[in-house]
Amino acid sequence: MNIAMKESRMETLPDRYGVIGHPISHSRSPLIHGEFAKATRQHLIYERFDIAPAALVVQVQALLREGVRGLNVTVPHKETVVALTHELTERAKLAGAVNTLIVLPDGRLRGDNTDGAGCIADLRYLAIEVTGRSVLILGAGGAARGIVGPLLAQQPAQLVIANRGVARAEELVATFRDIRPSAGIALSARPLDGLHESFDVVIHATSLGLQNAIPTVNPVIIGSQTDAYDLGYGDAGTPFTRWAQQHGAARAFDGIGMLVEQAAEAFWLWRGVRPETTEVRRLLSQSGERNKP
Ligand code: NDP
């Protein structure tokens, strides 16, 4: 092959992206990004990379040497991958976790976190109003940490973070109390058994859905006006959305839309093109993809 032929073939090679996690075989991200690429006519491939925690540094560096342009990051690497980055966006710093790696033109690695933006975009899509309402987050782990800042930016009247280990919720409140975008938002931490009133919006952000369970909480948190939202997702809703419906929630949604929206935000960061999400939402709900563990 002469040089001209080699160069023309190289020009047509798609840009490489992917998702790292362990396990990763269940990930819907290749499907989502594949659809985004088709719809926006972007020349790229998106792969799954199963990377065990002990191999994270070596394998990410190998992928970067191979020319990968960006990576999504999922369990269990969201916090540890921070050490590999050269810079973090403000929202990734606040979240203390990275779900999107961007290779900058000079080769340095930027860490960002699109989970919170994805959650807000989905709440907006579902017409779940946050502004001026009382909001409860159940859980204070990595996902909760990613959504607190963007939720506060919507200016709820009240935001309560309730966690099994209340110290973790208190830590979150302490992080965000001084930097919250507006005074006048009542921000507080509670233990899970310290909830005795209903909320306008209840967001479930514990990992218990992965075990087909929900945290033990007083059902009084669900009122007839409550919009219930689970960060987890499943084909026929989730244990939490079903529980919320049983207790009379006005509406209950799972987090599949958040998954699509956080991916759209990452795609935009990488490609400078914002994909339309409605078609991918429809595809996921029809294809049984949501059924996968
Ligand atoms: P973490 O492991 O960081 O946090 C787990 C949380 O669940 C903690 O608050 C923990 O409380 C709580 N928890 C665990 N076991 C119990 C229990 N037995 N009783 C009460 N509380 C419990 O997980 P993540 O925050 O990363 O993920 C949470 C969920 O969000 C997952 O289901 C994940 O799939 C989902 N997610 C969805 C996304 C989407 O795009 N839709 C994006 C990101 C996450 P404690 O601190 O007391 O241990």
Side-chain angles (χ1 to χ4, degrees):
M1 195 185 305
N2 65 32
I3 290 173
M5 281 171 71
K6 229 180 197 171
E7 278 177 357
S8 95
R9 176 168 291 187
M10 280 173 70
E11 270 169 24
T12 64
L13 283 179
D15 293 334
R16 286 180 74 196
Y17 296 87
V19 55
I20 60 171
H22 185 68
I24 199 63
S25 58
H26 65 283
S27 172
R28 285 84 158 167
S29 293
L31 180 143
I32 295 172
H33 283 279
E35 289 300 318
F36 287 166
K38 261 193 268 172
T40 58
R41 297 172 178 271
Q42 294 289 302
H43 192 41
L44 61 85
I45 53 167
Y46 187 102
E47 303 160 79
R48 293 184 183 93
F49 301 108
D50 192 332
I51 299 182
L56 180 70
V57 175
V58 171
Q59 293 204 22
V60 169
Q61 283 170 348
L63 288 172
L64 297 176
R65 273 198 305 277
E66 288 169 21
V68 162
R69 305 269 298 263
L71 291 167
N72 284 133
V73 183
T74 186
V75 179
H77 302 312
K78 282 187 178 184
E79 286 162 30
T80 43
V81 84
V82 169
L84 282 170
T85 60
H86 299 99
E87 62 178 57
L88 291 176
T89 60
E90 273 312 303
R91 59 188 179 178
K93 274 186 210 159
L94 282 174
V98 160
N99 81 335
T100 305
L101 291 170
I102 303 140
V103 180
L104 298 172
D106 62 5
R108 289 178 319 120
L109 204 53
R110 175 182 293 159
D112 202 346
N113 191 314
T114 66
D115 280 340
C119 180
I120 296 298
D122 195 34
L123 294 178
R124 202 168 283 146
Y125 180 91
L126 298 168
I128 296 180
E129 187 61 64
V130 168
T131 309
R133 299 179 88 199
S134 63
V135 180
L136 168 66
I137 301 177
L138 297 169
R145 188 169 262 277
I147 64 174
V148 170
L151 279 172
L152 287 171
Q154 299 299 305
Q155 309 219 305
Q158 180 192 19
L159 180 63
V160 174
I161 304 169
N163 200 45
R164 174 177 59 176
V166 72
R168 212 169 170 190
E170 282 165 352
E171 204 181 295
L172 258 187
V173 166
T175 302
F176 285 92
R177 176 163 281 142
D178 294 334
I179 49 162
R180 65 187 196 216
S182 137
I185 301 173
L187 178 62
S188 61
R190 305 245 196 111
L192 284 178
D193 60 6
L195 300 165
H196 307 293
E197 75 274 46
S198 72
F199 292 82
D200 297 324
V201 181
V202 177
I203 299 176
H204 176 235
T206 82
S207 53
L208 273 172
L210 301 171
Q211 297 157 45
N212 209 24
I214 59 162
T216 306
V217 279
N218 189 337
V220 79
I221 61 172
I222 306 293
S224 57
Q225 84 294 352
T226 302
D227 287 323
Y229 185 85
D230 194 347
L231 264 50
Y233 40 88
D235 196 34
T238 67
F240 175 75
T241 59
R242 286 190 287 276
W243 177 85
Q245 277 160 343
Q246 278 160 18
H247 290 285
R251 301 187 296 163
F253 300 97
D254 75 5
I256 193 73
M258 170 174 165
L259 184 77
V260 175
E261 295 294 345
Q262 62 77 29
E265 179 83 3
F267 193 93
W268 178 72
L269 293 170
W270 290 330
R271 307 299 296 184
V273 184
R274 192 171 282 283
E276 168 58 41
T277 55
T278 312
E279 187 55 25
V280 177
R281 286 170 176 274
R282 194 190 56 76
L283 195 73
L284 282 177
S285 61
Q286 281 181 357
S287 68
E289 283 294 317
R290 296 168 68 173
N291 237 347
K292 293 183 184 169

